Amino acid sequence: MLAAEIATRLEDSGVDRSRITCNSLDPGTVNTKMLLAGWGPCGINVRDALDQTWLCTSNDVDEITGAYFNWRSVSKKADKYSPSERQKLWSILSQIDPISADKWNTILEHQ
């Protein structure tokens, strides 16, 4: 939901999707040392856990922003999240870290 709000704020400030996008993803269940120690092998091999790299580098996702990916496909888009709930989350996070919130606002004002 936070990535969707960031994507919306970037677009509303005039940042072109060809310049920057903001998405999120479910990394899946990966057989990390902790998972293996607790539950055994029930996920994918660490060497195969490359969805983060794919999302950052693939031409398949050019100009897609505000999306939530699961298994390299869009599971949910920004407009499916309640705008009021996204803004509520943003407000809470801004209260927790007002310095970062001010920096964010300054950056968007200069777009």
Side-chain angles (χ1 to χ4, degrees), residues 81-102:
Y81 292 100
S82 162
S84 64
E85 290 300 310
R86 292 190 341 237
Q87 291 167 3
K88 183 178 175 183
L89 174 62
W90 188 268
S91 177
I92 291 168
L93 294 173
S94 295
Q95 291 171 13
I96 292 170
D97 187 359
I99 294 170
S100 294
D102 287 342

Side-chain angles (χ1 to χ4, degrees), residues 1-11 17 20-27 51 54-56 60-81 86:
M1 188 163 46
L2 181 59
E5 181 63 15
I6 291 170
T8 300
R9 287 174 180 264
L10 287 168
E11 287 200 317
R17 288 181 182 206
I20 187 169
T21 60
C22 185
N23 296 296
S24 59
L25 65 85
D26 180 345
D51 284 1
W54 169 82
L55 186 56
C56 292
D60 295 343
V61 295
D62 279 356
E63 300 188 28
I64 295 175
T65 194
Y68 175 76
F69 286 82
N70 192 2
W71 294 101
R72 297 189 183 188
S73 62
V74 175
S75 179
K76 199 168 194 178
K77 291 196 174 183
D79 62 354
K80 298 299 180 193
Y81 292 100
R86 292 190 341 237

